[in-house]
């Protein structure tokens, strides 16, 4: 009898651990970035992850490898888009709510320049897509601080980013 209870307890603990993911503390209407930061990503495929978090309306929108240490992952959560910065161990290091984007204001990830000088850091944000050149002005952007594993809000004045970094699913180019 004790063996059966022990086996049941182990199964319940392992089952709960297996179903735990970075979204387990997220609740619609609450502080989503705060609930995600510090959480460990599950090693599941996207379909399983989305299915387990159906109540959040979770949808994986794409990912980008920032460096050998960091990746950014876009998710639709509770009807809004968020970008998670995850380290190689699968720990969510930072999260930002991502602004709406469209063909006229496409989302991008990549290199930018300030007043014509190319920057070394990676950026993510939304561009003003009405321009015609290789570099487009920024509507909203964040620099990715690789050392601190954080998103840093960038000033839009003088900042333009490469058209080649557009990744928006709603047209963009």
């Amino acid at each position: 009898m004790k063996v059966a209870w022990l086996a049941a307890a182990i199964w319940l603990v392992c089952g709960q651990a297996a179903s735990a993911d970075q979204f387990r503390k997220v609740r619609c209407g609450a502080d989503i970035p705060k609930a995600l930061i510090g959480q460990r990503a599950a090693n599941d495929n996207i379909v399983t992850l989305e299915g387990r978090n159906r109540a959040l309306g979770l949808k994986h929108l794409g990912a980008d490898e920032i460096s050998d240490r960091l990746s950014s992952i876009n998710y639709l959560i509770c009807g809004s888009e968020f970008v998670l910065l995850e380290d190689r161990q699968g720990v969510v290091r930072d999260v930002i709510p991502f602004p709406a984007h469209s063909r006229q204001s496409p989302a991008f990830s990549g290199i930018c320049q300030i007043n014509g000088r190319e920057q070394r850091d990676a950026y993510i944000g939304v561009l003003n897509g009405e321009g015609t050149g290789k570099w487009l002005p920024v509507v909203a952007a964040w620099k990715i601080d690789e050392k601190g594993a954080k998103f840093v809000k960038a000033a839009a004045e003088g900042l333009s980013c490469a058209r080649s970094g557009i990744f928006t699913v709603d047209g963009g180019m």
Side-chain angles (χ1 to χ4, degrees):
M1 184 75 156
K2 287 183 182 180
V3 173
W5 281 108
L6 181 60
I10 291 171
W11 181 80
L12 284 173
V13 169
C14 290
Q16 287 175 343
S19 67
D21 61 47
Q22 66 270 44
F23 301 102
R24 73 178 181 273
K25 293 184 176 182
V26 174
R27 303 292 175 264
C28 293
D31 187 339
I32 291 173
K34 184 177 178 182
L36 287 166
I37 294 172
Q39 299 302 308
R40 184 171 299 277
N43 193 16
D44 291 329
N45 66 46
I46 294 168
V47 173
T48 301
L49 188 63
E50 289 176 349
R52 185 170 47 244
N53 294 286
R54 195 168 321 165
L56 300 175
L58 186 70
K59 179 158 178 56
H60 185 280
L61 301 175
D64 195 17
E65 186 173 314
I66 303 303
S67 69
D68 60 347
R69 295 179 347 111
L70 295 172
S71 295
S72 65
I73 307 166
N74 292 52
Y75 285 101
L76 185 65
I77 308 169
C78 302
S80 296
E81 188 170 348
F82 292 85
V83 183
L84 284 63
L85 195 59
E86 281 186 13
D87 65 21
R88 287 293 164 231
Q89 290 73 39
V91 176
V92 178
R93 300 294 304 271
D94 202 6
V95 179
I96 56 170
F98 198 68
H101 46 89
S102 65
R103 179 177 289 282
Q104 291 77 30
S105 298
F108 80 94
S109 176
I111 58 170
C112 296
Q113 57 182 16
I114 298 175
N115 298 322
R117 295 187 60 206
E118 198 168 303
Q119 303 298 296
R120 294 178 46 176
D121 298 301
Y123 286 78
I124 187 167
V126 176
L127 302 175
N128 178 343
E130 295 178 7
T132 58
K134 177 182 173 185
W135 299 91
L136 297 174
V138 166
V139 173
W142 291 263
K143 179 176 80 167
I144 298 172
D145 173 4
E146 290 184 42
K147 186 175 182 181
K150 295 276 183 201
F151 292 109
V152 178
K153 182 74 173 149
E157 189 169 332
L159 184 64
S160 58
C161 301
R163 179 185 291 276
S164 62
I166 292 173
F167 67 81
T168 189
V169 296
D170 40 30
M173 295 176 93

